[in-house]
Amino acid sequence: ETQAQDMVNVMNALKPDAMTSHWEFTLGIDRVNEIVDDLPFPFLGANIFDAEWDEPAYEPYQMFERGGAQIAVIGQAFPYMPIANPGWMFPGLSFGVREERMNEVVQEVRDAGADLVVVLSHNGFDVDRKLAAQVPGIDVILTGHTHDALPEPVLVGDTMLIASGSNGKFVTRLDLDVRDGRMMGFRHKLIPIFSDVIEPDADMSALIEAERAPYKAEMEEVLGTTDSLLYRRGNFNGTWDDLICNALIDEREADIALSPGFRWGPSLLPGAPITREDVFNATSMSYPNAYRSEMTGETLKIILEDVADNLFNPDPYYQQGGDM
């Protein structure tokens, strides 16, 4: 409805220091650039290149001074965009893990005086674990995409991997002792967010309510009631996926329904009403179309094996999805 302007307005009010990207590009490249041009913080992606000229398309990193230390934050966008998402939405860009490029950028920021190197990554946990082993000089990887919540940092050599879950369930506090150009120690806390015991920020609450107001009546429409737990977990499917697939079979007179087992979207408890907003929460893609077509058994087998390979390939760099 708003081409993501609601999210942009709220995120701007949150005032992060920097961001990297994944699904943003499914709004189309023109809309992405329109948003990026007005962002009050850097949009980082060292691995995003202009496909025609083979040169960086966005800022690769930003330097910050904190507590007397120079901190370089390098952005690493989701590397498999044209494979996992429709490439026609961003035709002039190329992505990829680009391990060599990361090596070069880490060296560049070290040469520029960085005491600490942080990678803000949407690679996914397994890809970042391999990247940390392959690229020396990274102190911290803030890893996203696979929605993991790590109670303690995972150490790969001298690199710390930090993951803080999804859906606002946790926030991580990481205090770093940086002296003489290197990290000497750290304190880490994965903090659960109990929304019923934390007083909401008044300004942020007012902003969110204003953004929601034009659509509130539509979103609150009750479509049904669930007599079981509706959830999204793991790599395969959850009860939300089963509900969506059963609905597709009923509505589209199909024999088989396939839906990516996304791991996002909040759960619904048994006995709860299912509102239109709940359905949007479970299906909120920028290309949500459902298609019906004829397939042979051979085609189905190829699709399932291809997706399984994307998920379980022994080489993390070939794991191009997070869901079956």
Side-chain angles (χ1 to χ4, degrees):
E1 293 281 0
T2 71
Q3 284 290 288
Q5 194 60 47
D6 57 329
M7 293 297 297
V8 173
N9 293 345
V10 171
M11 194 158 160
N12 289 354
L14 194 62
K15 296 180 180 171
D17 289 311
M19 70 172 285
T20 192
S21 57
H22 175 188
W23 281 90
E24 289 79 3
F25 284 102
T26 67
L27 292 167
I29 186 63
D30 292 341
R31 177 62 177 144
V32 171
N33 289 338
E34 182 181 39
I35 294 170
V36 169
D37 286 345
D38 290 332
L39 274 188
F41 51 85
F43 181 91
L44 303 177
N47 62 325
I48 311 174
F49 273 59
D50 181 296
E52 184 175 356
W53 302 101
D54 195 33
E55 59 186 22
Y58 298 94
E59 290 296 318
Y61 67 88
Q62 184 85 2
M63 297 283 274
F64 299 92
E65 190 275 325
R66 292 288 185 276
Q70 290 295 323
I71 302 170
V73 176
I74 302 170
Q76 176 82 349
F78 181 57
Y80 308 114
M81 283 299 306
I83 300 167
N85 302 95
W88 59 265
M89 292 178 159
F90 37 90
L93 297 178
S94 77
F95 294 78
V97 176
R98 297 186 187 267
E99 192 182 278
E100 274 306 305
R101 164 71 169 160
M102 182 60 73
N103 253 312
E104 292 167 4
V105 176
V106 169
Q107 190 58 54
E108 182 180 333
V109 298
R110 288 291 184 188
D111 291 345
D115 300 303
L116 188 82
V117 176
V118 177
V119 174
L120 180 61
S121 169
H122 206 89
N123 279 336
F125 179 74
D126 286 338
V127 177
D128 277 325
R129 188 158 49 177
K130 179 175 177 179
L131 185 75
Q134 302 283 99
V135 179
I138 301 171
D139 296 297
V140 178
I141 299 180
L142 303 175
T143 179
H145 181 60
T146 39
H147 298 196
D148 310 282
L150 298 176
E152 297 290 339
V154 169
L155 289 169
V156 179
D158 294 327
T159 304
M160 254 194 302
L161 269 66
I162 307 289
S164 309
S166 70
N167 287 85
K169 294 170 190 168
F170 302 93
V171 64
T172 293
R173 173 162 181 156
L174 182 65
D175 293 292
L176 302 173
D177 180 7
V178 180
R179 280 175 285 164
D180 303 323
R182 55 181 304 215
M183 186 165 62
M184 310 296 282
F186 68 90
R187 282 200 311 262
H188 171 274
K189 185 83 171 169
L190 182 70
I191 304 166
I193 302 300
F194 296 112
S195 58
D196 54 348
V197 296
I198 297 172
E199 185 179 345
D201 179 86
D203 292 341
M204 185 63 85
S205 294
L207 175 59
I208 291 171
E209 287 306 315
E211 295 288 350
R212 290 168 58 85
Y215 315 101
K216 195 168 187 291
E218 179 188 7
M219 292 194 297
E220 289 177 351
E221 180 190 355
V222 175
L223 306 176
T225 305
T226 177
D227 56 8
S228 64
L229 179 67
L230 293 183
Y231 65 90
R232 279 258 176 80
R233 294 289 183 278
N235 295 111
F236 288 96
N237 66 308
T239 50
W240 257 122
D241 304 294
D242 296 336
L243 178 63
I244 292 165
C245 286
N246 285 337
L248 287 169
I249 287 173
D250 288 349
E251 288 295 316
R252 297 295 173 94
E253 298 176 4
D255 300 304
I256 295 171
L258 301 173
S259 175
F262 293 125
R263 297 161 318 289
W264 39 253
S267 303
L268 282 185
L269 299 177
I274 304 172
T275 65
R276 185 172 293 276
E277 182 174 15
D278 294 325
V279 175
F280 287 167
N281 282 339
T283 58
S284 54
M285 298 165 63
S286 41
Y287 51 100
N289 314 58
Y291 299 94
R292 188 176 72 159
S293 60
E294 290 191 4
M295 288 187 192
T296 63
E298 181 185 28
T299 301
L300 272 172
K301 180 173 182 285
I302 289 169
I303 289 171
L304 292 174
E305 289 193 345
D306 191 40
V307 176
D309 184 61
N310 282 349
L311 187 57
F312 299 113
N313 195 296
D315 185 343
Y317 284 4
Y318 289 96
Q319 294 175 8
Q320 294 158 356
D323 42 67
M324 181 73 186

